[in-house]
């Protein structure tokens, strides 16, 4: 794995920032920054805008090293011999992404002697044990908003491809077959359907905005907080206080809430019983919000007509994960992809810039944006993760 480990330390030829800073200033210290990204292989060599890879390293290596910091980048994240386990021991900052999550468990955080900041390059910090981080006074930040439009577009695409039975239609064409009735028997219009979102924050609301021109029947949402009346009106949304009640009215349900103890396994066998028979479920939030086996069983029985999304309870998903191959009784209804909805090239540019801005604030001791702050001063700070 060491061959994949891209590390150039302070020993490189660049001058140390220490030479022009007073010892008291935190930004003057050379610190160890560990980043866990996936290896982008040939694609990342050919496409420098694939910033969230071990090859392109968010484009911040030169900037970090010019200030005397040590930047360790690796994809190795699992087990006691991983680079994550080895380097977290003395790193001050750990950068991870939700796409190749370095799971920052309590056990791992307990080994971290200098860690002050866990920084998610993207949105969604559930791969960090937030309670353990707050107990250890480690701040957790993410680049809020950086990929919410990217994900909202993906949700709309997933809804359309399920409702219109797109995937089996395309597969038929690739096979060389042509039998329109086999596809049309399970294809519908989105117009006139009721769509509900679990979570109506940045992504959930953008999904409703983008669905409004489709002349859907009604939009429902289930969230801790009400949207302002004007915002509800704009997207024809009605809040439903009880989740079972909401899903029982929906033709399509989309999950757009963070993963935390209140949402883990929220869409389970019991809740699925309350879905309309033949409803569609789209989840680009986090895999573990939906119960793996209950979803696979509901699709197999036809209780759900379709399930689509890009997030998995473990990433990378094992080869035999049932969501890779599950189908409805007509042989369709699966719109799963690897986790990429929030990592379009546009999104990567935004979360790389946002990561740099957060690091800059950290080096200079400047306040971070409240909306980027998940854990601060020993407390969960973000309302979306349950802060009061
Ligand atoms: P956000 O904070 O703007 O909105 C989340 C909303 O969920 C909030 O309104 C919050 O009140 C609500 N919520 C929290 N717990 C809830 C619960 N138990 N029941 C109902 N609602 C609840 O966040 P966002 O930017 O919209 O992102 C939402 C999530 O989407 C992220 O946390 C992340 O897990 C996921 N995400 C996925 C990708 C991807 O690439 N697939 C990219 C970005 C974000």
């Amino acid at each position: 794995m060491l061959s994949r480990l891209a590390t150039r330390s302070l020993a490189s030829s660049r001058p140390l920032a220490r030479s022009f800073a007073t010892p008291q200033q935190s930004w003057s210290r050379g610190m160890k920054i560990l980043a866990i990204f996936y290896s982008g292989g040939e694609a990342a060599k050919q496409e420098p805008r694939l910033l969230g890879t071990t090859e392109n390293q968010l484009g911040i290596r030169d900037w970090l090293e010019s200030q005397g910091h040590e930047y360790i980048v690796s994809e190795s994240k699992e087990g006691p011999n991983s680079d994550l386990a080895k380097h977290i021991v003395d790193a001050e900052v750990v950068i991870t992404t939700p796409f190749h999550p370095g799971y920052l468990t309590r056990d791992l955080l307990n080994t971290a002697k200098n860690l002050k900041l866990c920084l998610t390059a993207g949105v969604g910090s559930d791969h960090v044990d937030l309670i353990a981080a707050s107990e250890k006074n480690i701040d957790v930040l993410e680049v809020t908003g950086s990929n919410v439009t990217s994900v909202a577009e993906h949700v709309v695409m997933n809804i359309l491809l399920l409702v219109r039975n797109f995937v089996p239609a395309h597969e038929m064409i690739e096979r060389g077959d042509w039998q329109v009735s086999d596809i049309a028997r399970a294809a519908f219009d989105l117009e006139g359907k009721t769509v509900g979102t679990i979570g109506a924050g940045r992504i959930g609301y953008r999904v409703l905005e983008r669905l409004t021109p489709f002349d859907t029947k009604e939009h429902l949402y289930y969230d801790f907080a009400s949207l302002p009346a004007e915002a509800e009106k704009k997207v024809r949304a009605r809040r439903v206080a009880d989740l079972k009640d909401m899903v029982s009215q929906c033709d399509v349900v989309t999950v757009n809430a963070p993963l935390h103890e209140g949402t883990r396994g929220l869409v389970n066998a019991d809740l699925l019983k309350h879905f309309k028979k033949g409803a569609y479920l789209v989840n680009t939030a986090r895999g573990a919000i939906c119960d793996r086996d209950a979803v696979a069983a509901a699709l197999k029985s036809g209780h759900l007509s379709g399930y689509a999304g890009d997030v998995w309870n473990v990433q990378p998903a094992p080869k035999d994960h049932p969501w890779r191959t599950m189908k409805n009784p007509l042989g369709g209804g699966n719109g799963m992809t690897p986790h990429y909805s929030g990592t379009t090239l546009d999104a990567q540019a935004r979360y790389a810039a946002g990561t740099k801005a957060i690091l800059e604030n950290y080096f200079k001791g400047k306040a971070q944006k409240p909306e980027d702050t998940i854990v601060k001063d020993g407390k969960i700070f973000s309302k979306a993760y349950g802060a009061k």
Side-chain angles (χ1 to χ4, degrees):
M1 197 48 69
L2 263 179
S3 61
R4 293 234 170 95
L5 177 71
T7 169
R8 256 191 278 151
S9 73
L10 285 177
S12 73
S13 56
R14 297 176 191 284
L16 299 187
R18 236 179 262 140
S19 57
F20 55 83
T22 61
Q24 290 83 2
Q25 284 170 305
S26 61
W27 54 269
S28 67
R29 289 177 289 132
M31 62 184 74
K32 179 166 177 174
I33 297 167
L34 168 64
I36 301 295
F37 304 132
Y38 64 88
S39 162
E42 269 310 300
K45 285 184 202 139
Q46 290 165 12
E47 179 47 83
R49 291 175 297 174
L50 277 168
L51 286 166
T53 57
T54 52
E55 289 79 5
N56 297 323
Q57 312 187 351
L58 296 181
I60 55 175
R61 174 174 290 285
D62 288 350
W63 175 70
L64 288 174
E65 290 184 345
S66 71
Q67 295 172 76
H69 303 306
E70 183 184 13
Y71 189 32
I72 309 275
V73 177
S74 174
E75 72 165 351
S76 155
K77 67 186 182 82
E78 304 293 341
N81 298 321
S82 65
D83 290 329
L84 174 59
K86 193 160 73 190
H87 289 284
I88 201 169
V89 173
D90 58 350
E92 181 164 337
V93 176
V94 175
I95 304 173
T96 52
T97 76
F99 312 103
H100 178 71
Y103 294 105
L104 298 174
T105 60
R106 177 178 287 276
D107 284 350
L108 210 53
L109 292 177
N110 278 340
T111 68
K113 306 209 170 11
N114 296 338
L115 192 60
K116 304 269 183 332
L117 173 63
C118 296
L119 204 174
T120 303
V123 175
S125 296
D126 49 277
H127 57 282
V128 186
D129 184 327
L130 299 177
I131 309 277
S134 50
E135 284 169 13
K136 291 180 64 67
N137 220 4
I138 298 166
D139 288 353
V140 180
L141 282 118
E142 64 184 38
V143 190
T144 294
S146 54
N147 52 16
V148 293
T149 298
S150 323
V151 179
E153 287 185 4
H154 197 95
V155 173
V156 172
M157 174 180 78
N158 278 178
I159 292 173
L160 284 168
L161 69 82
L162 290 182
V163 171
R164 305 199 61 89
N165 207 20
F166 177 83
V167 175
H170 179 70
E171 288 168 347
M172 175 184 281
I173 286 301
E174 278 201 331
R175 277 198 312 272
D177 295 340
W178 185 289
Q179 186 59 48
V180 174
S181 54
D182 282 355
I183 302 302
R185 68 185 294 183
F188 298 88
D189 297 338
L190 184 54
E191 183 181 66
K193 306 298 184 291
T194 297
V195 182
T197 176
I198 302 175
R202 292 173 183 84
I203 296 174
Y205 190 77
R206 279 170 175 75
V207 169
L208 300 185
E209 274 185 318
R210 281 155 181 74
L211 290 178
T212 301
F214 283 90
D215 291 331
T216 40
K217 181 177 171 200
E218 197 180 15
H219 295 154
L220 307 177
Y221 71 99
Y222 171 80
D223 200 307
F224 294 149
S226 287
L227 291 165
E230 267 308 294
E232 278 189 350
K233 198 168 149 210
K234 187 173 165 221
V235 300
R236 294 187 280 105
R238 177 166 63 85
R239 185 176 178 209
V240 181
D242 179 75
L243 183 56
K244 289 178 176 157
D245 183 17
M246 184 186 88
V247 299
S248 71
Q249 301 177 54
C250 291
D251 300 297
V252 180
V253 175
T254 158
V255 185
N256 298 294
L259 174 63
H260 53 69
E261 285 324 302
T263 55
R264 186 177 296 279
L266 185 64
V267 184
N268 54 22
D270 182 41
L271 186 70
L272 283 163
K273 279 190 221 142
H274 296 266
F275 277 55
K276 274 188 185 176
K277 179 159 172 37
Y280 303 92
L281 176 57
V282 170
N283 174 18
T284 57
R286 284 295 177 260
I289 297 176
C290 296
D291 182 280
R292 185 193 68 170
D293 296 335
V295 162
L299 191 66
K300 189 171 175 210
S301 74
H303 187 64
L304 283 181
S305 284
Y307 183 90
D310 66 330
V311 285
W312 305 74
N313 57 340
V314 181
Q315 292 185 186
K319 285 215 184 316
D320 61 352
H321 196 294
W323 289 5
R324 287 181 182 263
T325 51
M326 62 186 180
K327 298 270 194 290
N328 66 24
L330 296 177
N334 185 330
M336 289 306 294
T337 64
H339 190 168
Y340 83 103
S341 68
T343 191
T344 58
L345 295 182
D346 301 296
Q348 293 189 50
R350 290 189 295 264
Y351 66 65
T355 300
K356 190 174 176 190
I358 289 171
L359 286 172
E360 195 152 31
N361 288 340
Y362 180 71
F363 297 154
K364 293 185 175 165
K366 279 171 65 178
Q368 302 286 358
K369 288 188 200 161
E371 63 269 30
D372 287 347
T373 308
I374 309 298
V375 171
K376 182 182 178 231
D377 299 335
K379 289 198 186 76
I380 304 223
F381 180 85
S382 164
K383 284 194 183 137
Y385 283 88
K388 297 281 177 282

